[in-house]
């Protein structure tokens, strides 16, 4: 599996992951941010970088829902939280 990171430079770079590393990350995310039926995660991150996509997929895999604002601006996220 290859994922992309913007790192500290803002330039995309690829990172190789093993399945074991990805599974450990998923388990950690589920323990740290439990989701599931009845839970909805508002994703205000770039789905193309990986972090936002990973959080969204973890939430969906646990049976929860995902909400995406109209755009990733800070104001769009605040507006979505206030709905």
């Amino acid at each position: 599996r290859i994922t992309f990171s913007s790192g500290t430079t803002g330039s995309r770079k690829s990172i190789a992951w093993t399945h074991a590393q990805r599974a450990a990350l998923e388990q950690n995310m589920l323990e740290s941010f439990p989701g599931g039926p009845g839970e909805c995660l508002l994703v205000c991150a770039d789905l193309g970088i990986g972090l936002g996509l990973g959080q969204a997929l973890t939430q969906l895999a646990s049976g929860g829902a995902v909400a995406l604002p109209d755009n990733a601006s800070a104001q769009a996220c605040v507006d979505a939280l206030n709905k």
Side-chain angles (χ1 to χ4, degrees):
R1 173 175 161 87
I2 302 291
T3 192
F4 293 95
S5 170
S6 64
T8 58
T9 65
S11 299
R12 289 185 137 188
K13 54 186 93 42
S14 59
I15 302 168
W17 292 53
T18 66
H19 286 121
Q21 289 169 320
R22 182 63 192 165
L25 176 63
E26 288 296 318
Q27 185 63 38
N28 183 279
M29 288 175 70
L30 285 170
E31 290 171 1
S32 300
F33 308 103
E39 296 291 328
C40 184
L41 174 70
L42 174 63
V43 178
C44 291
D46 182 354
L47 295 178
I49 292 176
L51 178 63
L53 179 61
Q55 290 175 330
L57 292 176
T58 298
Q59 177 72 357
L60 293 171
S62 66
V66 173
L68 301 170
D70 293 333
N71 61 62
S73 73
Q75 188 60 51
C77 289
V78 170
D79 293 344
L81 283 171
N82 290 325
K83 286 185 179 181

